[in-house]
Amino acid sequence: MNFPTRTLTLAIALASGAASAALTPEEIKQLGTTLTPWGATKAGNADGTIPEYKGGIEPPASYDPKKPNFRPDPFANEKPLFSISAENMAKFEDKLSAGAKEMLKKYPGYRIDVYPTHRTAKYPKYVLDNTLKNAASCKLADNLLQLSGTCFGGVPFPIPKTGSEVMWNRTMKYDQFAYYSPSQTSTLVDRSGRRVETGAFAYWQTFPAMNPARTEPIKADEMLEYGRIDWTGPARKAGEKLVMHDSVDMLNVGRRAWSYLPGQRRVKLSPDVAYDTPSPAGGGVGTVDDTQVFYGAQDRYDYKLVGKKEMFIPYNTFRLHDEKQCGTDQVFTPNHLNPDCVRWELHRVWVVEATLKPGARHVYPKRTFYWDEDIPAVGMADNYDDAGKIYRVTQTHYYPFYETTGHNTHEFVVHDLTNGSYVRQAYTPAGGGMMEVTPAAEAKPASFYESSALSRAGVR
Protein backbone atom coordinates (compact mmCIF):
# COMPACT_ATOMS: atom_id res chain seq x y z
CA MET A 1 0.00 0.00 0.00
CA ASN A 2 1.26 3.42 -0.90
CA PHE A 3 0.39 5.81 1.92
CA PRO A 4 1.61 9.35 2.49
CA THR A 5 4.77 9.23 4.61
CA ARG A 6 3.29 11.38 7.40
CA THR A 7 0.16 9.24 7.65
CA LEU A 8 2.06 5.96 7.66
CA THR A 9 4.51 7.17 10.28
CA LEU A 10 1.64 8.38 12.44
CA ALA A 11 -0.11 5.05 12.13
CA ILE A 12 2.94 3.01 13.12
CA ALA A 13 3.74 5.24 16.08
CA LEU A 14 0.25 5.43 17.53
CA ALA A 15 -1.80 2.47 16.35
CA SER A 16 -1.26 0.48 19.54
CA GLY A 17 -1.59 3.30 22.02
CA ALA A 18 -3.71 2.62 25.08
CA ALA A 19 -5.37 6.02 25.11
CA SER A 20 -6.20 8.69 22.58
CA ALA A 21 -3.60 11.40 22.04
CA ALA A 22 -4.54 15.04 22.50
CA LEU A 23 -4.36 17.34 19.49
CA THR A 24 -2.00 20.28 19.52
CA PRO A 25 -3.29 23.84 18.98
CA GLU A 26 -1.57 23.81 15.58
CA GLU A 27 -3.44 20.68 14.55
CA ILE A 28 -6.76 22.10 15.69
CA LYS A 29 -6.14 25.22 13.57
CA GLN A 30 -6.22 23.00 10.47
CA LEU A 31 -9.94 22.38 10.97
CA GLY A 32 -11.84 24.66 8.62
CA THR A 33 -8.65 25.69 6.79
CA THR A 34 -6.60 22.93 5.17
CA LEU A 35 -9.01 20.37 6.62
CA THR A 36 -12.80 20.43 6.53
CA PRO A 37 -14.46 21.19 9.88
CA TRP A 38 -14.79 17.42 10.47
CA GLY A 39 -11.18 16.65 9.55
CA ALA A 40 -11.17 15.51 5.91
CA THR A 41 -8.54 16.83 3.53
CA LYS A 42 -10.16 19.87 1.94
CA ALA A 43 -8.03 19.98 -1.21
CA GLY A 44 -8.45 17.67 -4.15
CA ASN A 45 -5.76 15.20 -5.12
CA ALA A 46 -2.85 15.94 -7.43
CA ASP A 47 -4.41 14.60 -10.63
CA GLY A 48 -7.86 16.09 -10.02
CA THR A 49 -9.71 12.78 -9.77
CA ILE A 50 -10.81 13.74 -6.23
CA PRO A 51 -12.11 17.32 -6.20
CA GLU A 52 -11.74 19.97 -3.53
CA TYR A 53 -14.52 20.01 -0.97
CA LYS A 54 -16.72 23.01 -1.74
CA GLY A 55 -19.66 22.74 0.63
CA GLY A 56 -21.45 19.53 -0.25
CA ILE A 57 -24.60 18.86 -2.22
CA GLU A 58 -27.48 21.21 -2.97
CA PRO A 59 -30.91 19.91 -4.06
CA PRO A 60 -31.33 19.84 -7.85
CA ALA A 61 -34.05 21.95 -9.46
CA SER A 62 -36.16 18.83 -10.04
CA TYR A 63 -36.46 18.12 -6.30
CA ASP A 64 -39.95 18.66 -4.87
CA PRO A 65 -39.86 19.57 -1.13
CA LYS A 66 -43.44 18.27 -0.85
CA LYS A 67 -42.08 14.80 -1.64
CA PRO A 68 -38.97 14.76 0.56
CA ASN A 69 -38.30 11.03 0.25
CA PHE A 70 -38.18 11.19 -3.55
CA ARG A 71 -34.71 12.54 -4.24
CA PRO A 72 -33.78 12.88 -7.92
CA ASP A 73 -30.33 11.85 -9.06
CA PRO A 74 -28.29 15.00 -9.81
CA PHE A 75 -25.72 12.85 -11.64
CA ALA A 76 -28.16 10.88 -13.79
CA ASN A 77 -26.60 12.06 -17.06
CA GLU A 78 -23.07 11.04 -16.14
CA LYS A 79 -21.49 8.02 -17.78
CA PRO A 80 -18.85 5.80 -16.20
CA LEU A 81 -15.30 7.03 -16.65
CA PHE A 82 -14.24 3.40 -16.99
CA SER A 83 -15.19 -0.08 -15.82
CA ILE A 84 -13.02 -2.49 -13.84
CA SER A 85 -13.25 -6.21 -14.48
CA ALA A 86 -11.09 -9.24 -13.75
CA GLU A 87 -9.30 -8.63 -17.05
CA ASN A 88 -8.05 -5.12 -16.26
CA MET A 89 -8.11 -4.91 -12.45
CA ALA A 90 -4.29 -5.12 -12.20
CA LYS A 91 -4.21 -1.59 -13.61
CA PHE A 92 -6.23 -0.32 -10.61
CA GLU A 93 -4.94 -2.72 -7.94
CA ASP A 94 -3.74 -0.05 -5.51
CA LYS A 95 -7.23 1.50 -5.36
CA LEU A 96 -9.21 -1.70 -4.88
CA SER A 97 -9.91 -3.44 -1.59
CA ALA A 98 -8.91 -7.06 -1.22
CA GLY A 99 -12.59 -7.97 -1.11
CA ALA A 100 -13.38 -6.14 -4.34
CA LYS A 101 -10.50 -7.91 -6.10
CA GLU A 102 -11.68 -11.27 -4.81
CA MET A 103 -15.20 -10.65 -6.11
CA LEU A 104 -13.86 -9.58 -9.51
CA LYS A 105 -11.87 -12.82 -9.74
CA LYS A 106 -14.65 -15.05 -8.42
CA TYR A 107 -17.68 -13.77 -10.38
CA PRO A 108 -17.29 -13.44 -14.19
CA GLY A 109 -20.20 -10.98 -14.47
CA TYR A 110 -19.01 -8.68 -11.71
CA ARG A 111 -17.57 -5.30 -12.57
CA ILE A 112 -17.02 -1.91 -10.96
CA ASP A 113 -18.26 1.13 -12.89
CA VAL A 114 -16.30 4.20 -11.76
CA TYR A 115 -17.98 7.60 -12.12
CA PRO A 116 -16.73 11.15 -11.47
CA THR A 117 -16.21 11.82 -7.77
CA HIS A 118 -18.63 14.17 -5.98
CA ARG A 119 -18.07 15.13 -2.34
CA THR A 120 -21.70 15.46 -1.31
CA ALA A 121 -21.32 15.36 2.50
CA LYS A 122 -23.05 18.16 4.37
CA TYR A 123 -23.38 18.76 8.11
CA PRO A 124 -25.52 21.18 10.12
CA LYS A 125 -23.75 24.01 11.92
CA TYR A 126 -24.33 22.62 15.41
CA VAL A 127 -22.56 19.36 14.48
CA LEU A 128 -19.60 21.30 13.07
CA ASP A 129 -19.46 23.51 16.17
CA ASN A 130 -19.55 20.45 18.42
CA THR A 131 -16.81 18.79 16.37
CA LEU A 132 -14.53 21.76 16.92
CA LYS A 133 -15.17 21.53 20.67
CA ASN A 134 -14.40 17.80 20.55
CA ALA A 135 -11.05 18.41 18.89
CA ALA A 136 -9.84 20.16 22.02
CA SER A 137 -11.56 18.16 24.73
CA CYS A 138 -12.87 14.71 23.69
CA LYS A 139 -10.75 11.69 24.60
CA LEU A 140 -10.99 7.96 25.14
CA ALA A 141 -10.47 6.26 28.47
CA ASP A 142 -7.53 3.86 28.79
CA ASN A 143 -9.58 0.85 27.73
CA LEU A 144 -10.64 2.74 24.55
CA LEU A 145 -14.23 1.65 25.16
CA GLN A 146 -15.45 4.80 26.91
CA LEU A 147 -15.54 8.45 25.98
CA SER A 148 -13.77 10.68 28.47
CA GLY A 149 -12.97 14.35 28.73
CA THR A 150 -15.75 16.56 27.36
CA CYS A 151 -17.47 15.29 24.22
CA PHE A 152 -20.42 16.70 22.28
CA GLY A 153 -22.71 15.44 19.52
CA GLY A 154 -20.39 15.64 16.52
CA VAL A 155 -17.34 13.86 15.15
CA PRO A 156 -15.44 12.99 18.35
CA PHE A 157 -11.97 12.74 16.77
CA PRO A 158 -11.74 14.90 13.63
CA ILE A 159 -8.00 14.21 13.33
CA PRO A 160 -7.84 10.54 14.36
CA LYS A 161 -4.52 9.12 15.44
CA THR A 162 -5.50 5.55 16.33
CA GLY A 163 -7.67 2.86 14.85
CA SER A 164 -10.00 3.08 17.84
CA GLU A 165 -10.56 6.79 17.22
CA VAL A 166 -11.56 6.08 13.61
CA MET A 167 -13.97 3.40 14.81
CA TRP A 168 -15.45 5.80 17.37
CA ASN A 169 -16.01 8.32 14.58
CA ARG A 170 -18.06 5.65 12.86
CA THR A 171 -19.92 4.83 16.08
CA MET A 172 -20.73 8.50 16.71
CA LYS A 173 -21.44 9.25 13.04
CA TYR A 174 -23.96 11.93 12.15
CA ASP A 175 -26.74 10.96 9.80
CA GLN A 176 -29.70 12.62 11.49
CA PHE A 177 -31.12 13.11 14.97
CA ALA A 178 -33.98 10.68 14.17
CA TYR A 179 -35.24 8.41 11.38
CA TYR A 180 -38.37 6.56 10.44
CA SER A 181 -38.47 3.84 7.79
CA PRO A 182 -42.01 2.52 7.31
CA SER A 183 -40.78 -0.20 4.96
CA GLN A 184 -37.29 -1.61 5.44
CA THR A 185 -36.62 -4.87 3.60
CA SER A 186 -33.90 -7.51 3.71
CA THR A 187 -33.55 -9.64 0.59
CA LEU A 188 -31.41 -12.76 0.29
CA VAL A 189 -30.17 -13.98 -3.09
CA ASP A 190 -28.85 -17.52 -2.84
CA ARG A 191 -26.15 -19.08 -5.00
CA SER A 192 -28.69 -20.12 -7.65
CA GLY A 193 -30.01 -16.56 -7.95
CA ARG A 194 -33.26 -17.34 -6.10
CA ARG A 195 -34.59 -14.26 -4.30
CA VAL A 196 -36.08 -14.56 -0.79
CA GLU A 197 -37.43 -11.82 1.46
CA THR A 198 -35.84 -12.52 4.83
CA GLY A 199 -37.24 -9.53 6.68
CA ALA A 200 -39.69 -6.68 6.34
CA PHE A 201 -40.15 -4.15 9.11
CA ALA A 202 -40.82 -0.61 10.18
CA TYR A 203 -37.75 0.96 11.76
CA TRP A 204 -37.21 3.90 14.10
CA GLN A 205 -33.93 5.30 15.41
CA THR A 206 -33.08 8.22 17.68
CA PHE A 207 -29.60 9.46 18.60
CA PRO A 208 -29.94 11.56 21.80
CA ALA A 209 -26.49 13.17 21.48
CA MET A 210 -27.45 14.56 18.05
CA ASN A 211 -30.48 16.51 19.27
CA PRO A 212 -30.06 19.97 17.66
CA ALA A 213 -31.49 21.63 20.78
CA ARG A 214 -28.93 20.00 23.05
CA THR A 215 -26.12 22.05 24.56
CA GLU A 216 -24.74 19.80 27.32
CA PRO A 217 -21.86 17.34 26.78
CA ILE A 218 -22.36 13.61 26.48
CA LYS A 219 -22.47 11.71 29.76
CA ALA A 220 -20.21 8.70 30.04
CA ASP A 221 -23.07 6.28 30.75
CA GLU A 222 -25.93 7.72 28.69
CA MET A 223 -27.69 6.13 25.73
CA LEU A 224 -25.92 6.59 22.43
CA GLU A 225 -28.71 5.20 20.28
CA TYR A 226 -32.25 3.90 20.53
CA GLY A 227 -33.63 1.59 17.86
CA ARG A 228 -36.91 -0.19 17.34
CA ILE A 229 -38.06 -2.75 14.76
CA ASP A 230 -41.67 -3.79 14.21
CA TRP A 231 -41.63 -6.85 11.95
CA THR A 232 -44.26 -7.15 9.23
CA GLY A 233 -42.77 -10.12 7.38
CA PRO A 234 -42.07 -12.84 6.56
CA ALA A 235 -45.16 -14.52 8.01
CA ARG A 236 -43.23 -16.38 10.72
CA LYS A 237 -41.90 -13.07 12.12
CA ALA A 238 -44.87 -10.76 11.52
CA GLY A 239 -45.95 -9.14 14.77
CA GLU A 240 -42.58 -9.53 16.50
CA LYS A 241 -40.93 -6.40 17.85
CA LEU A 242 -37.43 -5.54 18.97
CA VAL A 243 -35.90 -2.57 20.80
CA MET A 244 -32.19 -1.92 21.27
CA HIS A 245 -30.34 0.44 23.58
CA ASP A 246 -26.69 1.14 22.79
CA SER A 247 -24.79 2.90 25.54
CA VAL A 248 -21.91 5.32 25.13
CA ASP A 249 -20.14 3.10 27.68
CA MET A 250 -19.22 -0.05 25.74
CA LEU A 251 -17.36 -1.54 28.70
CA ASN A 252 -19.81 -1.58 31.61
CA VAL A 253 -23.16 -1.18 29.87
CA GLY A 254 -22.92 -2.01 26.16
CA ARG A 255 -26.00 -3.08 24.23
CA ARG A 256 -29.28 -4.22 25.72
CA ALA A 257 -32.12 -5.55 23.62
CA TRP A 258 -35.64 -6.83 24.24
CA SER A 259 -37.99 -8.67 21.91
CA TYR A 260 -41.75 -9.17 21.91
CA LEU A 261 -43.03 -12.57 20.75
CA PRO A 262 -46.72 -12.43 19.80
CA GLY A 263 -47.24 -16.19 20.18
CA GLN A 264 -46.21 -15.97 23.83
CA ARG A 265 -47.48 -12.43 24.43
CA ARG A 266 -44.42 -11.60 26.45
CA VAL A 267 -41.28 -9.50 26.28
CA LYS A 268 -37.92 -11.11 26.89
CA LEU A 269 -34.35 -9.87 27.17
CA SER A 270 -32.37 -10.65 24.01
CA PRO A 271 -28.67 -10.59 24.92
CA ASP A 272 -27.68 -12.26 21.64
CA VAL A 273 -28.53 -9.31 19.34
CA ALA A 274 -24.85 -8.39 19.09
CA TYR A 275 -21.42 -9.37 17.80
CA ASP A 276 -21.32 -12.46 15.56
CA THR A 277 -24.82 -13.70 16.25
CA PRO A 278 -26.39 -14.38 12.84
CA SER A 279 -28.35 -11.35 11.70
CA PRO A 280 -32.08 -11.88 12.33
CA ALA A 281 -32.80 -10.57 8.83
CA GLY A 282 -29.75 -12.02 7.11
CA GLY A 283 -31.03 -15.42 6.09
CA GLY A 284 -27.76 -16.97 7.24
CA VAL A 285 -25.60 -14.37 5.51
CA GLY A 286 -23.94 -11.91 7.85
CA THR A 287 -23.67 -11.24 11.56
CA VAL A 288 -25.40 -8.64 13.70
CA ASP A 289 -22.28 -6.48 13.64
CA ASP A 290 -22.06 -6.71 9.83
CA THR A 291 -25.02 -4.33 9.85
CA GLN A 292 -24.05 -1.05 8.17
CA VAL A 293 -20.54 -2.58 7.76
CA PHE A 294 -19.93 -2.44 11.51
CA TYR A 295 -22.55 -2.00 14.22
CA GLY A 296 -21.90 -2.50 17.88
CA ALA A 297 -19.29 -2.60 20.61
CA GLN A 298 -15.59 -2.57 19.79
CA ASP A 299 -14.35 -4.60 22.74
CA ARG A 300 -13.46 -7.85 20.94
CA TYR A 301 -10.85 -6.39 18.59
CA ASP A 302 -7.61 -4.44 18.61
CA TYR A 303 -7.67 -1.74 15.95
CA LYS A 304 -4.62 -0.68 13.97
CA LEU A 305 -4.74 2.52 11.95
CA VAL A 306 -2.99 1.66 8.70
CA GLY A 307 -3.42 5.10 7.17
CA LYS A 308 -5.46 7.07 4.66
CA LYS A 309 -5.49 6.19 0.98
CA GLU A 310 -7.47 6.69 -2.24
CA MET A 311 -9.87 3.87 -3.01
CA PHE A 312 -12.94 3.08 -5.09
CA ILE A 313 -16.05 2.75 -2.92
CA PRO A 314 -19.82 2.73 -3.62
CA TYR A 315 -20.99 6.34 -3.35
CA ASN A 316 -23.95 8.58 -4.21
CA THR A 317 -26.05 5.51 -5.02
CA PHE A 318 -29.15 7.31 -6.31
CA ARG A 319 -29.61 4.96 -9.27
CA LEU A 320 -29.70 1.94 -6.98
CA HIS A 321 -32.83 3.49 -5.44
CA ASP A 322 -34.54 4.35 -8.73
CA GLU A 323 -37.48 1.96 -9.15
CA LYS A 324 -37.66 2.64 -12.90
CA GLN A 325 -34.04 1.74 -13.61
CA CYS A 326 -33.19 -0.57 -10.73
CA GLY A 327 -36.38 -2.08 -9.37
CA THR A 328 -36.49 -5.44 -7.65
CA ASP A 329 -36.43 -7.43 -10.88
CA GLN A 330 -33.44 -5.52 -12.22
CA VAL A 331 -31.21 -5.03 -9.20
CA PHE A 332 -30.94 -8.59 -7.86
CA THR A 333 -28.68 -10.74 -10.03
CA PRO A 334 -26.88 -13.96 -9.02
CA ASN A 335 -23.90 -13.55 -6.65
CA HIS A 336 -24.03 -9.73 -6.48
CA LEU A 337 -26.19 -6.70 -7.20
CA ASN A 338 -26.54 -5.70 -10.83
CA PRO A 339 -23.37 -3.68 -11.64
CA ASP A 340 -25.49 -1.37 -13.81
CA CYS A 341 -27.16 -0.12 -10.62
CA VAL A 342 -24.15 0.52 -8.36
CA ARG A 343 -22.16 3.73 -8.68
CA TRP A 344 -18.51 3.70 -7.53
CA GLU A 345 -16.33 6.76 -7.00
CA LEU A 346 -12.75 7.47 -5.94
CA HIS A 347 -12.54 8.79 -2.37
CA ARG A 348 -9.98 9.00 0.40
CA VAL A 349 -10.63 6.45 3.11
CA TRP A 350 -9.21 5.61 6.51
CA VAL A 351 -7.97 2.01 6.55
CA VAL A 352 -8.27 0.18 9.87
CA GLU A 353 -7.22 -3.41 10.54
CA ALA A 354 -9.11 -5.20 13.31
CA THR A 355 -7.53 -8.25 14.96
CA LEU A 356 -9.42 -10.42 17.43
CA LYS A 357 -8.11 -10.02 20.96
CA PRO A 358 -6.55 -13.05 22.67
CA GLY A 359 -9.30 -15.06 24.34
CA ALA A 360 -12.10 -13.21 22.53
CA ARG A 361 -14.54 -15.02 20.25
CA HIS A 362 -15.86 -13.97 16.85
CA VAL A 363 -16.47 -15.73 13.56
CA TYR A 364 -14.15 -13.16 11.92
CA PRO A 365 -10.66 -13.30 13.49
CA LYS A 366 -9.55 -10.43 11.24
CA ARG A 367 -11.35 -7.56 9.52
CA THR A 368 -10.22 -4.63 7.40
CA PHE A 369 -12.40 -1.52 7.39
CA TYR A 370 -12.38 1.30 4.86
CA TRP A 371 -14.16 4.46 6.09
CA ASP A 372 -14.77 7.55 3.96
CA GLU A 373 -12.97 10.69 5.17
CA ASP A 374 -16.06 12.87 4.59
CA ILE A 375 -18.71 10.59 6.14
CA PRO A 376 -17.30 8.23 8.81
CA ALA A 377 -20.04 5.60 8.35
CA VAL A 378 -19.69 5.21 4.56
CA GLY A 379 -17.40 2.40 3.54
CA MET A 380 -16.61 -1.27 3.20
CA ALA A 381 -15.14 -4.18 5.12
CA ASP A 382 -13.25 -7.34 4.25
CA ASN A 383 -14.02 -10.03 6.84
CA TYR A 384 -11.68 -13.03 7.06
CA ASP A 385 -12.14 -16.63 8.21
CA ASP A 386 -9.85 -18.78 10.37
CA ALA A 387 -7.86 -19.84 7.32
CA GLY A 388 -7.02 -16.23 6.45
CA LYS A 389 -9.33 -16.14 3.42
CA ILE A 390 -11.94 -13.47 2.78
CA TYR A 391 -15.21 -14.84 4.08
CA ARG A 392 -17.60 -11.92 3.61
CA VAL A 393 -17.48 -8.49 1.99
CA THR A 394 -19.78 -5.70 3.22
CA GLN A 395 -20.53 -2.36 1.57
CA THR A 396 -22.73 0.65 2.35
CA HIS A 397 -24.98 2.29 -0.25
CA TYR A 398 -25.02 5.93 0.71
CA TYR A 399 -26.97 8.90 -0.58
CA PRO A 400 -27.35 12.43 0.87
CA PHE A 401 -30.57 14.04 2.02
CA TYR A 402 -32.06 17.12 0.34
CA GLU A 403 -34.76 18.16 2.80
CA THR A 404 -32.13 18.69 5.49
CA THR A 405 -28.38 18.28 5.95
CA GLY A 406 -27.20 14.76 6.59
CA HIS A 407 -26.81 11.34 5.04
CA ASN A 408 -28.39 7.91 4.77
CA THR A 409 -25.66 5.39 5.57
CA HIS A 410 -28.02 2.67 6.82
CA GLU A 411 -28.40 0.62 3.64
CA PHE A 412 -25.85 -2.10 2.98
CA VAL A 413 -25.08 -5.43 1.33
CA VAL A 414 -23.21 -8.47 2.68
CA HIS A 415 -21.61 -10.89 0.22
CA ASP A 416 -20.74 -14.42 1.36
CA LEU A 417 -17.86 -15.54 -0.85
CA THR A 418 -17.93 -19.12 0.44
CA ASN A 419 -21.27 -19.92 -1.18
CA GLY A 420 -22.00 -17.09 -3.63
CA SER A 421 -25.04 -15.73 -1.78
CA TYR A 422 -25.65 -12.19 -0.57
CA VAL A 423 -28.18 -10.16 1.39
CA ARG A 424 -29.19 -6.55 0.94
CA GLN A 425 -30.97 -4.39 3.51
CA ALA A 426 -32.64 -1.35 1.99
CA TYR A 427 -35.50 1.08 2.29
CA THR A 428 -38.02 -0.18 -0.26
CA PRO A 429 -41.51 1.28 0.18
CA ALA A 430 -44.33 0.45 -2.19
CA GLY A 431 -44.21 2.86 -5.10
CA GLY A 432 -40.56 3.79 -4.55
CA GLY A 433 -38.91 6.47 -2.49
CA MET A 434 -36.14 6.66 0.07
CA MET A 435 -35.63 6.82 3.83
CA GLU A 436 -37.53 9.51 5.71
CA VAL A 437 -35.98 12.03 8.07
CA THR A 438 -37.96 12.67 11.24
CA PRO A 439 -38.22 16.36 12.19
CA ALA A 440 -36.67 16.95 15.61
CA ALA A 441 -40.01 17.99 17.08
CA GLU A 442 -41.52 14.64 16.02
CA ALA A 443 -38.71 12.36 17.24
CA LYS A 444 -39.93 9.47 19.36
CA PRO A 445 -39.35 9.86 23.12
CA ALA A 446 -37.22 7.41 25.07
CA SER A 447 -40.40 5.74 26.37
CA PHE A 448 -41.22 4.55 22.81
CA TYR A 449 -38.07 2.42 22.97
CA GLU A 450 -38.67 0.90 26.40
CA SER A 451 -39.39 -2.82 26.73
CA SER A 452 -42.77 -2.03 28.31
CA ALA A 453 -43.79 -0.23 25.10
CA LEU A 454 -43.49 -3.50 23.19
CA SER A 455 -46.07 -5.36 25.22
CA ARG A 456 -48.47 -2.41 25.08
CA ALA A 457 -48.20 -2.34 21.29
CA GLY A 458 -48.11 -6.10 20.83
CA VAL A 459 -50.62 -7.87 18.62
CA ARG A 460 -51.24 -11.50 17.74
Side-chain angles (χ1 to χ4, degrees):
M1 293 183 178
N2 297 319
F3 297 104
T5 302
R6 178 184 179 276
T7 302
L8 185 58
T9 302
L10 181 68
I12 294 172
L14 296 169
S16 61
S20 52
L23 299 180
T24 66
E26 289 71 25
E27 288 174 317
I28 294 174
K29 287 179 182 178
Q30 296 178 58
L31 298 174
T33 54
T34 58
L35 301 178
T36 65
W38 57 89
T41 302
K42 188 176 181 180
N45 63 358
D47 59 10
T49 51
I50 296 177
E52 177 186 0
Y53 181 78
K54 293 185 177 180
I57 196 165
E58 294 294 335
S62 55
Y63 171 65
D64 183 357
K66 295 180 181 178
K67 299 178 180 179
N69 65 324
F70 284 84
R71 304 179 183 96
D73 183 357
F75 316 122
N77 295 326
E78 292 183 348
K79 303 298 182 183
L81 299 171
F82 51 86
S83 295
I84 304 173
S85 65
E87 286 70 31
N88 69 349
M89 70 176 185
K91 179 180 177 181
F92 307 98
E93 187 170 10
D94 65 325
K95 292 180 172 59
L96 291 169
S97 68
K101 287 184 277 191
E102 193 67 24
M103 290 183 66
L104 287 166
K105 289 187 289 186
K106 185 177 180 67
Y107 304 129
Y110 189 62
R111 74 175 193 275
I112 292 173
D113 289 343
V114 179
Y115 289 79
T117 297
H118 297 280
R119 299 178 68 178
T120 48
K122 199 164 188 178
Y123 294 84
K125 185 177 184 300
Y126 79 94
V127 170
L128 300 181
D129 291 344
N130 286 344
T131 298
L132 187 58
K133 295 177 187 177
N134 289 340
S137 62
C138 190
K139 299 178 179 62
L140 291 178
D142 285 350
N143 50 54
L144 304 178
L145 299 175
Q146 297 170 307
L147 292 179
S148 66
T150 305
C151 307
F152 295 86
V155 179
F157 305 106
I159 305 178
K161 297 187 177 183
T162 70
S164 290
E165 290 183 348
V166 174
M167 297 303 291
W168 268 97
N169 286 348
R170 183 266 170 264
T171 296
M172 299 293 293
K173 48 93 176 177
Y174 173 79
D175 290 338
Q176 280 297 311
F177 168 43
Y179 286 102
Y180 170 52
S181 299
S183 181
Q184 196 92 5
T185 305
S186 289
T187 304
L188 170 72
V189 179
D190 66 18
R191 71 175 70 192
S192 70
R194 183 174 63 104
R195 190 171 69 235
V196 180
E197 183 183 278
T198 55
F201 48 91
Y203 185 46
W204 295 261
Q205 268 190 302
T206 299
F207 302 86
M210 297 301 176
N211 188 336
R214 177 172 178 156
T215 58
E216 69 271 19
I218 299 169
K219 300 181 180 66
D221 59 351
E222 74 171 83
M223 285 300 109
L224 167 67
E225 174 184 339
Y226 291 109
R228 174 167 164 171
I229 293 173
D230 286 11
W231 296 92
T232 57
R236 61 181 174 80
K237 290 189 72 67
E240 291 186 16
K241 301 178 189 297
L242 174 73
V243 292
M244 292 184 294
H245 297 180
D246 271 0
S247 174
V248 174
D249 184 346
M250 297 184 184
L251 183 65
N252 300 309
V253 183
R255 173 175 294 168
R256 302 195 74 194
W258 296 264
S259 58
Y260 172 79
L261 304 177
Q264 302 176 17
R265 290 194 173 184
R266 71 184 184 93
V267 176
K268 68 173 186 177
L269 190 66
S270 298
D272 56 348
V273 186
Y275 301 111
D276 59 352
T277 300
S279 170
V285 177
T287 63
V288 169
D289 64 6
D290 275 326
T291 301
Q292 301 166 34
V293 175
F294 185 80
Y295 182 58
Q298 302 170 24
D299 58 317
R300 296 194 179 181
Y301 291 93
D302 291 317
Y303 299 94
K304 176 184 177 182
L305 177 57
V306 179
K308 186 191 286 188
K309 68 170 299 189
E310 297 177 3
M311 293 188 68
F312 299 119
I313 61 175
Y315 217 90
N316 293 315
T317 58
F318 290 94
R319 180 178 297 175
L320 184 59
H321 299 83
D322 185 337
E323 288 290 317
K324 294 180 180 179
Q325 297 186 76
C326 293
T328 300
D329 292 336
Q330 292 81 31
V331 73
F332 293 109
T333 54
N335 306 129
H336 51 78
L337 297 176
N338 186 343
D340 292 341
C341 296
V342 183
R343 179 188 179 100
W344 293 69
E345 296 181 0
L346 182 67
H347 287 261
R348 301 184 189 97
V349 302
W350 291 103
V351 183
V352 176
E353 291 181 355
T355 304
L356 196 63
K357 291 181 177 180
R361 182 189 62 80
H362 199 287
V363 68
Y364 307 139
K366 177 185 175 183
R367 308 168 91 158
T368 303
F369 297 102
Y370 311 89
W371 298 116
D372 178 40
E373 68 169 345
D374 284 326
I375 309 170
V378 171
M380 309 180 296
D382 300 331
N383 304 291
Y384 292 81
D385 62 17
D386 288 328
K389 296 181 179 180
I390 296 178
Y391 180 5
R392 292 180 177 136
V393 175
T394 57
Q395 301 162 348
T396 57
H397 291 139
Y398 146 77
Y399 57 80
F401 295 129
Y402 293 156
E403 68 276 32
T404 182
T405 50
H407 329 99
N408 174 25
T409 65
H410 287 225
E411 300 186 25
F412 64 97
V413 61
V414 182
H415 309 88
D416 191 323
L417 301 192
T418 65
N419 60 24
S421 60
Y422 67 97
V423 66
R424 179 195 180 205
Q425 185 169 305
Y427 177 46
T428 54
M434 300 178 180
M435 180 175 284
E436 298 180 14
V437 175
T438 303
E442 300 175 16
K444 296 293 185 181
S447 59
F448 178 77
Y449 299 99
E450 295 300 328
S451 58
S452 57
L454 297 185
S455 55
R456 290 196 300 268
V459 293
R460 262 199 184 278

